[in-house]
Amino acid sequence: RPRFARHTFRGVKKSYHDDLNEIVNKYLIKGTIISENSLASCRQALGDYFIEKGYLDVKVTVEEEADDQLVHAVKLAFNINRGKKIRIASITFAGNDHVKAAKLRKPMKETKHRWKLFSGSKLIRPKYEDDKKKVIAYYNTLGYRDSRILRDSVWRDKNGRVRIHMDITEGNVYYFRNITWRGNYIFDEATLSRV
């Protein structure tokens, strides 16, 4: 296998190069032998970087070219085709009988549907999973302690935009009835209950 000499990027603006160089430097060190595993990991990491930016159809290929400055060394050309930025067209819910969909979308700070022309609306999987937990946490604040997301679907429509649907079970509302106090030697029950 040849040794790694240097690399270039094709198909992306120079404003991305600093971030992309950091990614490549994690997997490829100058002068070391290039393995298929390190190349595959590097391609995957570069793709993941653009997926986080909302380019879900990104394609990354690598070309090896002989380096004329070093013997038995190659320079790598990473061809990056970002494609179009994919927006979230809609987030819908089923089973939310007591809470409006707009109220459920509000806690989802990182996963928003596109409701304005220039609003950000990209799908990032780890942040989407966190936002699902925030929906349940919002239900909990309303007293629905048994609420759950039964299932969720993420798909692309015929225009290529992302659609999200969640099936929710709300459960019953829990209320406080009687509050009893134990071990209160300094303050009486009426004072504690008032506080």
Side-chain angles (χ1 to χ4, degrees), residues 7-27 42 45-47 49-50 78 80:
H7 66 275
T8 58
F9 301 107
R10 296 175 185 159
V12 291
K13 296 177 182 176
K14 288 192 175 180
S15 58
Y16 288 112
H17 284 208
D18 288 340
D19 292 340
L20 299 179
N21 284 330
E22 283 183 27
I23 294 169
V24 171
N25 292 337
K26 288 179 186 175
Y27 299 98
C42 195
L46 290 171
Y49 172 82
F50 283 104
F78 291 96
I80 300 171

Side-chain angles (χ1 to χ4, degrees), residues 83-149:
K84 289 185 178 179
K85 191 174 273 194
I86 306 302
R87 305 282 185 188
I88 298 173
S90 66
I91 302 172
T92 56
F93 301 92
N96 55 320
D97 300 326
H98 300 94
V99 182
K100 292 181 180 178
K103 293 278 188 185
L104 296 178
R105 282 192 286 265
K106 197 169 184 180
M108 299 177 73
K109 301 289 185 192
E110 301 296 332
T111 310
K112 298 179 272 192
H113 72 286
R114 187 177 184 185
W115 60 281
K116 286 183 182 175
L117 184 60
F118 297 108
S119 64
S121 61
K122 56 193 174 194
L123 177 68
I124 301 169
R125 283 287 179 174
K127 291 181 179 179
Y128 169 59
E129 294 300 324
D130 289 341
D131 280 346
K132 287 197 300 186
K133 291 174 186 172
K134 289 175 186 173
V135 170
I136 297 305
Y138 176 70
Y139 262 114
N140 291 343
T141 63
L142 301 177
Y144 294 93
R145 307 299 295 177
D146 296 331
S147 62
R148 299 283 178 271
I149 296 175

Side-chain angles (χ1 to χ4, degrees), residues 4 6 11 27 69 71 73-74 79 91 97 102 122 125 130 155-156 173-174 177 179 190:
F4 173 58
R6 52 204 166 100
Y27 299 98
Q69 297 175 2
V71 178
V74 294
N79 298 308
I91 302 172
D97 300 326
K122 56 193 174 194
R125 283 287 179 174
D130 289 341
W155 74 95
R156 303 272 292 273
V173 183
Y174 284 75
R177 189 167 291 178
I179 299 174

